[in-house]
Structures are given as C-alpha cells and as structure tokens.
Amino acid sequence: MSHQIIAIDGPAGSGKSTVARQVARELGWSFLDTGAMYRAVTCEALSRGLDVHDEQVLGRLASEVTLTTLPRVTVNGRDVEDEIRNDRVNEAVSVVAANPLVRRAMVARQREWAAQQPVGTVVEGRDITTVVFPDATLKIFLTASPMERSRRRGDESAASVSRRDEADLTRDASPLRQSDDALVLDTTGRTVDEVAGEIIECLSARQSN
Ligand code: DC
C-alpha cells in the first residue's frame, strides 16, 4: 500500500486534535499536531526574550530549532508540553503563525516528517488540506458551533479564542480556508467516536474506488 495521508483542518475547538488522534489510533497510523509545532517555536522565542514580530529572527529560529511533538512536545530537547498551552503562548502564537518565513520552515518539516512514516499519517492544522498536502488521500474540514467551540477550549477565554480565529482567517500567509474538495463535518453534539468512525468509513470508500 502506498503512503497515505488524511489531512484535517478547522478552527480552534472544532475537535481536530482529538478526532485526528483517534483516527490515527484506530488505523495504526502516525499523527501530527502542526499547531503544537507553531506553539513550540513561540515558546522558544518567548523564553529567549525575542521580539515575536521580527520576521527574520523568528524565521531563522523556526528553521534552526529541533522539534518533536510525540511522545512529548519538545524544542531543542526542552519539554514544553504544558507551556505551549499557557496564556502568553495563546496570545503570541498567531503572530508567529502569520510569519511567512516561519510557515515555510514548518511546512518543509511537515512534508519531510510525513514522507518518513511507514504506512499512513493523520495531520491536522489550518493549512494542511490547502497548502501542505493538497493531494492528500482524504481531506476533512471540521467545524462546530461557536458555543461548543468555546466550551471545548476550557480554560482559554472566549475572547482569546476568537482573537486567534480572526487572526488565522485574515492573515496574508496561508489563512484558514475550506478547500473545495474537503469533506465538511460539523462535530457539534457528536462524540469523538462518531466523527472518527465517519472519517474512517470515508477513507475505506475512497480506497475501494
Ligand atoms: O491548533 P492550535 O490552536 O494549537 O494552533 C495554534 C496556532 O497555530 C493557531 O493560531 C493556528 C496556527 N496554526 C497554523 O497557522 N497552521 C497550522 N497548520 C496549525 C496551526
């Protein structure tokens, strides 16, 4: 079987990470949370006291650091699994993710990583179906109602989530877009098992065509 990719995009709180993880587990494929990569670079920039608005400096940092997302999120060997979800990172990450030099470095790493996986991969983010893997085996766009999305973000305030959504949708570099050939799934009121099951059924249907 050739290498296969399920690409999943959607806004914060749409259920991307949880659903993508579950699909990967059920298929025995690997999983990549690309938001964690942007967050890890942001953490490193903040801990070095860098100006996150400096495109060149952040671009250089993004291509130089060593990153892992599993089993733990690390940057240059430092475990940042908890730190990547703190308020400072929530506030600064959309600036870092809007930087075209950072994006170029992240996209290259994501493609390189996927090519090394033995069977298939589930990759989730904001530009995965449109930019990183436009030819993915299956492309999914997850949505959920604003109330449900805000509930799922738990500790993060609704204002902070909507600032990040707005920044992701309106930036010049690879904004969040629904690709024409993506399957759109509304996860409002549905369990992770239901949504993951629908994605796997869809993959089987693709594979048997
Ligand atoms: O999915 P998340 O909330 O962890 O993403 C963190 C930030 O990174 C958010 O502002 C969107 C951005 N991001 C992106 O621009 N492209 C991706 N592929 C993944 C995340």
Side-chain angles (χ1 to χ4, degrees):
M1 190 176 17
S2 63
H3 186 80
Q4 304 195 67
I5 294 172
I6 298 179
I8 305 182
D9 285 327
S14 57
K16 286 186 312 291
S17 275
T18 323
V19 167
R21 243 176 246 274
Q22 172 85 0
V23 170
R25 195 177 310 120
E26 285 187 34
L27 294 171
W29 290 8
S30 45
F31 160 68
L32 183 63
D33 169 357
T34 61
M37 298 172 69
Y38 288 94
R39 286 173 178 275
V41 171
T42 306
C43 258
E44 185 63 13
L46 293 174
S47 79
R48 290 188 193 186
L50 302 177
D51 173 6
V52 291
H53 293 91
D54 189 326
E55 283 200 358
Q56 298 295 329
V57 166
L58 265 286
R60 223 168 15 249
L61 180 73
S63 40
E64 285 170 7
V65 287
T66 306
L67 290 178
T68 67
T69 58
L70 283 173
R72 306 277 297 175
V73 182
T74 68
V75 55
N76 285 346
R78 184 167 69 91
D79 189 314
V80 290
E81 180 88 24
D82 298 326
E83 204 178 320
I84 60 166
R85 310 276 163 206
N86 75 22
D87 288 346
R88 280 184 79 209
V89 174
N90 284 337
E91 289 298 325
V93 68
S94 30
V95 175
V96 176
N99 178 332
L101 303 178
V102 172
R103 300 203 72 82
R104 197 193 301 158
M106 294 296 110
V107 170
R109 284 167 187 258
Q110 289 153 13
R111 290 182 178 147
E112 197 179 311
W113 177 88
Q116 290 164 357
Q117 304 310 304
V119 189
T121 59
V122 185
V123 185
E124 61 96 341
R126 302 294 192 290
D127 60 343
I128 310 304
T129 59
T130 52
V131 174
V132 188
F133 299 115
D135 299 323
T137 321
L138 183 62
K139 303 205 267 181
I140 309 282
F141 191 92
L142 292 187
T143 61
S145 70
M147 208 199 277
E148 179 116 358
R149 296 203 291 117
S150 142
R151 189 180 56 74
R152 287 186 190 146
R153 289 323 279 205
D155 291 345
E156 188 179 358
S157 74
S160 162
V161 174
S162 69
R163 264 199 303 279
R164 205 140 44 79
D165 276 350
E166 186 60 19
D168 294 341
L169 284 165
T170 56
R171 68 185 178 215
D172 290 335
S174 313
L176 174 64
R177 288 270 177 279
Q178 200 172 300
S179 110
D180 289 341
D181 52 352
L183 171 72
V184 182
L185 294 180
D186 187 338
T187 65
T188 311
R190 301 184 70 195
T191 66
V192 176
D193 279 350
E194 280 168 10
V195 180
E198 185 169 347
I199 292 174
I200 291 170
E201 266 174 34
C202 214
L203 177 73
S204 308
R206 278 292 143 90
Q207 288 169 331
S208 57
N209 277 336

